[in-house]
Structures are given as structure tokens and as C-alpha cells.
Amino acid sequence: MFISLWRTFFLYVFVSVALRFMGKRQIGELQPSELVTTIMISNIAAVPIENTESPLINALLAVILLACMEVLFSALALKSRSFRGFAMGHARCVIRDGMLDEKELRSLRWSLDDLMELLRTNGIFDIDEVLFAIVETNGSLSTYPKHRFRPVDNGALNISLDGCEAPPMLIISDGNVDFAALNYCRRDKKWLDKVLASEGLKVSDIFAMSCDRDGKYKIFKKEKR
Amino acid sequence: MKRIYISAALLILTAIGCHMALDRMESAVLDMTEYAQAITEQINHERFDQTESEIQKIERLWQREKNLFRIINGARQCDELETSLNRVRIFVLQKEKSPEALSELSDFILSAQRILRSQRPGLINLL
């Protein structure tokens, strides 16, 4: 029992260090320690399922240990900058002031094709459009385009829109009213009943109904079978 | 913050639980070994009046602790130990100084100690 705990602890540290050593190429979306925890938990949980002779308690304890260590390590990373740097690495700037940083690319073991692939997934097809490109600690690429390639927004055009900016919410989903969403839209059941009465519908007739805080709504009726 | 405290508490509880379970297992194995050695001694000196009560002590102890052993070690090792204990019982109740009885006792002691050894936190086990 103790042995599986110690083994889990050592494997967690070992795999985390190995993953950090392998670099950001191996990571996508998750932080290194999160990835390690996910991989290890799924593998540990699979063993007692496959092998019914193996005591379940070892797997349970190992999963508890991993989950607790992940929480504690992330708390430690939150408190200590140096620990965060050690455990998760640092963001790396691969395009700085519009210039490619070959040294950084080499240290990340990224080819230009890898960089272009990630730029394309960000909607950028010309490297000349990028002022800064930063490889985040989770391996994803964040880009900051040059001024002339930035999309024009309402602020730049001094356009002010009337009404609120909150997005619409689904207040009825498959014939069920979501009262939390209704509350978010600053509406109540009375309002909903009134609207439905004016449309000549019952809640059970509606597949989906969205509404925003201005009270603008859209109804999708259920298909008749 | 609550999650951090819960995690720390869970880790401490797990460590304490493991320590207590290992302690209990160690004490049970030591007692079983002691009784088995006493039986060996009695067989060697052909004093069979006490052997039955000693074997009953081992059986009682095993009945009390076998669930803990099964949870921690799994069924296979415990089945081996239980089989070995049954064989010891058969040979010992014959009340004869036979090499088979002594060999079974020695096997039983080794099986019990192997279970404990496999759970001890040490570098060899860890690797």
C-alpha cells in the first residue's frame, strides 16, 4: 500500500520532469503537471479493471494522491513564481517585433512548418502580419498582429451600440425552463408566460428559446412527429 | 483555498492510514511467525501437547486479520498463505516429528514474511 503511494509520488515527479524536459511540443492545452496527472490517473484506473486480482485500494490511494498533489502543486505554483517557472516553464517569444527568433525556435525544437501550422490555426497565413508570437506554457501559440493587420472594432470606429452587451441565453431547452438563465436575462415566469401566450405556445411545444437582457427572444418549436 | 486544505488533510490521512495498516500487518506477521516458531520448537523436541493450541492461535489471528491482508495484498498472496496454514495444520495435528511438518512451517513463515516484505517502504521495493 505504502509502496504504491511512494511509487505514484516518484512516477508523478519523474514523468513531470520528463515531460518538461521533452518541451512544449508534447503538450497541448494542458499544463505539464495536469497532463501527467491525467495520463497517470487514466492508466492507474485501468489496471484494477483489467486485473481483478490487483487490490483496488492501491489504485484508489494512488488516484487520491495524484489529485491531492495536483491541487497542492498548483497552489504552490500560484504562490511561488520560481516554482511556477520550474513546474510549468515560461512563455517563449518566437516572433519579437515582427522578427523571427531562430534561437527560441531551435530551443523549442520547432520547425518553421510547426510555427506556420499554429499561425494558420490562429487565422494568420502570412508571417509578416505578426508583431509578436508567444508560445504559452501549455504549448499553444498566442499572436499579436501588426497594427495594419488588426481587425477594426466598434471602439476604433467610435460606434456605440444601444442596449446591453450580455449574450443571449437559452431559457427553454427541450421543453424545460432554465430559471437561472431566465433570472440572468432579468425576466421572470410571468414574462415568459405572457410571451408564450402571445405566441400561442406551451413550454412543452418549444425545443429551444433564447433571450437576451433586452427581452429579445427567438423560439424554435419542436418538430411534430 | 478549501480545496487545498482538503487535499492536505487527505494526504495526511492517507499517510496515517497506510502507516497504521502496515503497523497492524507487521504485528500480525510477527505474532504468526512467533507462534509458528514455537510450534517448530515443540515439534523438534517432540512436545506435542501445546502444538494444537499454538496452531489455533495462528488461525484465530489469521481469521481476525485476513480481510486487511486481502485488501492490501490482493487475493493471490493471501490464498498462498492460507493454503500453507492449512497444510501446517494437517501435518502438525499428526503429532509426529516429520520433515514435511517442519518444511511446511518454514514455508508458512516465509510466506507471511514475504507479504510483509512486499509492503515495506524501502528502496528495493520502490525500484
Short mmCIF file of all heavy atoms in Angstrom, two decimals, chain A residues 55-81:
data_model
loop_
_atom_site.label_atom_id
_atom_site.label_comp_id
_atom_site.label_asym_id
_atom_site.label_seq_id
_atom_site.Cartn_x
_atom_site.Cartn_y
_atom_site.Cartn_z
N PRO A 55 -5.33 -5.43 -5.95
CA PRO A 55 -6.21 -4.76 -4.97
C PRO A 55 -6.61 -3.36 -5.44
O PRO A 55 -5.77 -2.58 -5.88
CB PRO A 55 -5.34 -4.66 -3.72
CG PRO A 55 -4.23 -5.59 -3.92
CD PRO A 55 -4.02 -5.74 -5.38
N LEU A 56 -7.89 -3.08 -5.33
CA LEU A 56 -8.43 -1.80 -5.78
C LEU A 56 -7.90 -0.64 -4.94
O LEU A 56 -7.72 0.48 -5.44
CB LEU A 56 -9.96 -1.85 -5.70
CG LEU A 56 -10.72 -0.69 -6.30
CD1 LEU A 56 -10.51 -0.65 -7.80
CD2 LEU A 56 -12.20 -0.81 -6.01
N ILE A 57 -7.62 -0.96 -3.67
CA ILE A 57 -7.22 0.11 -2.75
C ILE A 57 -5.94 0.82 -3.22
O ILE A 57 -5.79 2.02 -3.05
CB ILE A 57 -7.07 -0.43 -1.30
CG1 ILE A 57 -6.87 0.72 -0.31
CG2 ILE A 57 -5.91 -1.37 -1.14
CD1 ILE A 57 -7.98 0.86 0.66
N ASN A 58 -5.03 0.03 -3.84
CA ASN A 58 -3.78 0.64 -4.32
C ASN A 58 -4.07 1.70 -5.37
O ASN A 58 -3.50 2.79 -5.34
CB ASN A 58 -2.86 -0.42 -4.91
CG ASN A 58 -2.28 -1.32 -3.85
OD1 ASN A 58 -2.34 -0.99 -2.66
ND2 ASN A 58 -1.74 -2.44 -4.24
N ALA A 59 -4.97 1.37 -6.29
CA ALA A 59 -5.33 2.33 -7.34
C ALA A 59 -6.06 3.53 -6.75
O ALA A 59 -5.78 4.68 -7.12
CB ALA A 59 -6.20 1.65 -8.39
N LEU A 60 -6.96 3.26 -5.80
CA LEU A 60 -7.72 4.37 -5.19
C LEU A 60 -6.78 5.34 -4.49
O LEU A 60 -6.88 6.56 -4.65
CB LEU A 60 -8.74 3.82 -4.18
CG LEU A 60 -9.90 3.03 -4.77
CD1 LEU A 60 -10.81 2.52 -3.66
CD2 LEU A 60 -10.72 3.90 -5.71
N LEU A 61 -5.85 4.76 -3.71
CA LEU A 61 -4.91 5.62 -2.97
C LEU A 61 -4.04 6.41 -3.93
O LEU A 61 -3.77 7.59 -3.71
CB LEU A 61 -4.04 4.77 -2.04
CG LEU A 61 -4.76 4.23 -0.80
CD1 LEU A 61 -3.84 3.33 -0.02
CD2 LEU A 61 -5.23 5.36 0.09
N ALA A 62 -3.61 5.73 -5.00
CA ALA A 62 -2.74 6.41 -5.96
C ALA A 62 -3.49 7.58 -6.63
O ALA A 62 -2.93 8.67 -6.80
CB ALA A 62 -2.27 5.43 -7.01
N VAL A 63 -4.76 7.36 -6.96
CA VAL A 63 -5.55 8.43 -7.60
C VAL A 63 -5.76 9.59 -6.61
O VAL A 63 -5.63 10.76 -6.97
CB VAL A 63 -6.89 7.88 -8.13
CG1 VAL A 63 -7.79 9.01 -8.59
CG2 VAL A 63 -6.65 6.93 -9.28
N ILE A 64 -6.05 9.24 -5.35
CA ILE A 64 -6.22 10.30 -4.32
C ILE A 64 -4.94 11.10 -4.21
O ILE A 64 -4.94 12.33 -4.21
CB ILE A 64 -6.59 9.67 -2.95
CG1 ILE A 64 -8.01 9.12 -2.98
CG2 ILE A 64 -6.44 10.69 -1.82
CD1 ILE A 64 -8.41 8.35 -1.75
N LEU A 65 -3.81 10.37 -4.14
CA LEU A 65 -2.52 11.05 -4.00
C LEU A 65 -2.26 11.99 -5.18
O LEU A 65 -1.85 13.14 -5.00
CB LEU A 65 -1.40 10.00 -3.90
CG LEU A 65 0.01 10.55 -3.73
CD1 LEU A 65 0.18 11.16 -2.35
CD2 LEU A 65 1.04 9.49 -3.94
N LEU A 66 -2.52 11.49 -6.39
CA LEU A 66 -2.27 12.31 -7.59
C LEU A 66 -3.16 13.56 -7.60
O LEU A 66 -2.67 14.67 -7.87
CB LEU A 66 -2.53 11.50 -8.85
CG LEU A 66 -1.43 10.56 -9.27
CD1 LEU A 66 -1.90 9.71 -10.43
CD2 LEU A 66 -0.18 11.32 -9.67
N ALA A 67 -4.43 13.36 -7.29
CA ALA A 67 -5.36 14.50 -7.31
C ALA A 67 -4.94 15.53 -6.26
O ALA A 67 -4.91 16.74 -6.54
CB ALA A 67 -6.78 14.02 -7.07
N CYS A 68 -4.61 15.05 -5.06
CA CYS A 68 -4.21 15.98 -3.98
C CYS A 68 -2.91 16.69 -4.35
O CYS A 68 -2.75 17.90 -4.11
CB CYS A 68 -4.03 15.24 -2.67
SG CYS A 68 -5.57 14.62 -2.03
N MET A 69 -1.96 15.93 -4.92
CA MET A 69 -0.67 16.55 -5.28
C MET A 69 -0.86 17.60 -6.35
O MET A 69 -0.21 18.65 -6.33
CB MET A 69 0.31 15.47 -5.73
CG MET A 69 1.15 15.00 -4.57
SD MET A 69 2.05 13.51 -4.92
CE MET A 69 2.87 13.88 -6.39
N GLU A 70 -1.76 17.33 -7.27
CA GLU A 70 -2.02 18.30 -8.34
C GLU A 70 -2.58 19.59 -7.76
O GLU A 70 -2.14 20.68 -8.12
CB GLU A 70 -3.00 17.68 -9.36
CG GLU A 70 -3.39 18.58 -10.50
CD GLU A 70 -2.23 19.17 -11.26
OE1 GLU A 70 -1.18 18.52 -11.39
OE2 GLU A 70 -2.36 20.34 -11.70
N VAL A 71 -3.51 19.45 -6.80
CA VAL A 71 -4.09 20.64 -6.16
C VAL A 71 -3.00 21.39 -5.39
O VAL A 71 -2.87 22.62 -5.51
CB VAL A 71 -5.25 20.24 -5.21
CG1 VAL A 71 -5.71 21.43 -4.40
CG2 VAL A 71 -6.41 19.67 -6.00
N LEU A 72 -2.20 20.65 -4.62
CA LEU A 72 -1.16 21.30 -3.81
C LEU A 72 -0.08 21.94 -4.69
O LEU A 72 0.38 23.05 -4.41
CB LEU A 72 -0.53 20.30 -2.83
CG LEU A 72 -1.47 19.82 -1.72
CD1 LEU A 72 -0.77 18.80 -0.83
CD2 LEU A 72 -1.95 20.97 -0.87
N PHE A 73 0.32 21.24 -5.75
CA PHE A 73 1.36 21.78 -6.64
C PHE A 73 0.85 23.03 -7.35
O PHE A 73 1.61 23.99 -7.52
CB PHE A 73 1.80 20.73 -7.66
CG PHE A 73 2.89 19.82 -7.15
CD1 PHE A 73 2.92 19.43 -5.82
CD2 PHE A 73 3.88 19.34 -7.98
CE1 PHE A 73 3.90 18.58 -5.33
CE2 PHE A 73 4.88 18.50 -7.51
CZ PHE A 73 4.88 18.12 -6.18
N SER A 74 -0.41 23.01 -7.76
CA SER A 74 -0.92 24.20 -8.46
C SER A 74 -1.06 25.36 -7.48
O SER A 74 -0.84 26.51 -7.85
CB SER A 74 -2.23 23.90 -9.18
OG SER A 74 -3.16 23.36 -8.30
N ALA A 75 -1.39 25.04 -6.20
CA ALA A 75 -1.45 26.10 -5.19
C ALA A 75 -0.07 26.68 -4.95
O ALA A 75 0.11 27.90 -4.83
CB ALA A 75 -2.03 25.55 -3.90
N LEU A 76 0.92 25.78 -4.90
CA LEU A 76 2.31 26.23 -4.70
C LEU A 76 2.78 27.08 -5.88
O LEU A 76 3.44 28.11 -5.72
CB LEU A 76 3.20 24.99 -4.54
CG LEU A 76 4.60 25.18 -3.99
CD1 LEU A 76 4.54 25.75 -2.59
CD2 LEU A 76 5.36 23.87 -3.97
N ALA A 77 2.37 26.65 -7.08
CA ALA A 77 2.74 27.40 -8.29
C ALA A 77 2.10 28.78 -8.29
O ALA A 77 2.68 29.75 -8.80
CB ALA A 77 2.33 26.62 -9.53
N LEU A 78 0.93 28.86 -7.69
CA LEU A 78 0.22 30.15 -7.61
C LEU A 78 0.96 31.10 -6.68
O LEU A 78 1.03 32.30 -6.90
CB LEU A 78 -1.20 29.88 -7.09
CG LEU A 78 -2.28 30.84 -7.49
CD1 LEU A 78 -2.54 30.75 -8.98
CD2 LEU A 78 -3.56 30.52 -6.72
N LYS A 79 1.51 30.53 -5.61
CA LYS A 79 2.19 31.36 -4.60
C LYS A 79 3.61 31.71 -5.01
O LYS A 79 4.07 32.80 -4.73
CB LYS A 79 2.24 30.60 -3.26
CG LYS A 79 0.89 30.36 -2.63
CD LYS A 79 0.54 31.46 -1.66
CE LYS A 79 -0.87 31.25 -1.10
NZ LYS A 79 -1.53 32.49 -0.81
N SER A 80 4.31 30.74 -5.61
CA SER A 80 5.74 30.96 -5.88
C SER A 80 6.02 31.03 -7.37
O SER A 80 5.76 30.08 -8.11
CB SER A 80 6.53 29.80 -5.24
OG SER A 80 7.76 29.67 -5.87
N ARG A 81 6.56 32.16 -7.77
CA ARG A 81 6.87 32.38 -9.18
C ARG A 81 7.96 31.43 -9.66
O ARG A 81 7.91 30.89 -10.77
CB ARG A 81 7.30 33.83 -9.37
CG ARG A 81 7.22 34.33 -10.76
CD ARG A 81 7.68 35.78 -10.83
NE ARG A 81 8.10 36.11 -12.18
CZ ARG A 81 7.26 36.42 -13.16
NH1 ARG A 81 5.99 36.45 -12.93
NH2 ARG A 81 7.71 36.71 -14.37
#
